[in-house]
Amino acid sequence: MRGELERELMQILWDSTEPLGIREIQDVFTGHIPAYTTLMTSLDRLEKKGQVIRIEEGPRKIRFRPTHSGGEHTSLAMTAALNASSDSEAALLRFAGNLSDEHLDLLRQAIGPKSAKQKTR
């Protein structure tokens, strides 16, 4: 359950254009709203993991913002997984083989200019 709450907290922070306080975060929850202390504990954990930054705006005013965008976070996680693999080539080929046509087109666009530059060297 802790992992689910942390994922939901991160999504709320990624969706916001501004740092958020606990009460503002509670306002976004639908259904069960976690207690203030539960959210504070989870945000403390996320801060220790380097995923959020605490911004103190006075003696009792604390806001949080993510250290990376959602896309950057996903990219870092994918890179870490690839680097941790004992066979990164097989892992990368399997990953690429599972991509949709739309994602393959995006990947081709992303590496196209880089591949062209490497060929001219």
Side-chain angles (χ1 to χ4, degrees):
M1 179 162 160
R2 181 170 79 190
E4 289 176 30
L5 179 57
E6 287 183 1
R7 274 191 298 281
E8 192 164 359
L9 280 169
M10 290 306 302
Q11 192 61 57
I12 289 169
L13 292 172
W14 287 324
D15 290 345
S16 176
T17 57
E18 300 290 327
L20 297 174
I22 302 286
R23 299 279 183 229
E24 295 165 312
I25 292 169
Q26 284 178 315
D27 290 343
V28 178
F29 275 88
T30 56
H32 173 72
I33 299 171
Y36 186 98
T37 54
T38 301
L39 292 174
M40 193 66 195
T41 299
S42 293
L43 287 161
D44 283 342
R45 287 187 179 124
L46 288 168
E47 182 182 24
K48 288 177 183 160
K49 292 178 183 180
Q51 293 184 14
V52 300
I53 293 173
R54 173 190 309 252
I55 303 164
E56 298 195 25
E57 298 178 342
R60 297 184 54 96
K61 181 90 171 178
I62 301 171
R63 294 172 141 342
F64 295 88
R65 70 170 179 83
T67 54
H68 303 287
S69 70
E72 290 169 325
H73 174 77
T74 301
S75 173
L76 291 169
M78 292 168 66
T79 301
L82 186 61
N83 290 339
S85 173
S86 61
D87 188 350
S88 60
E89 182 178 343
L92 185 59
L93 290 172
R94 181 164 296 248
F95 173 76
N98 289 322
L99 293 175
S100 68
D101 289 341
E102 180 183 346
H103 288 146
L104 281 171
D105 288 343
L106 287 170
L107 186 58
R108 285 185 188 105
Q109 288 174 13
I111 62 175
K114 187 174 183 179
S115 295
K117 287 179 189 174
Q118 289 175 343
K119 288 179 184 176
T120 61
R121 288 183 187 176

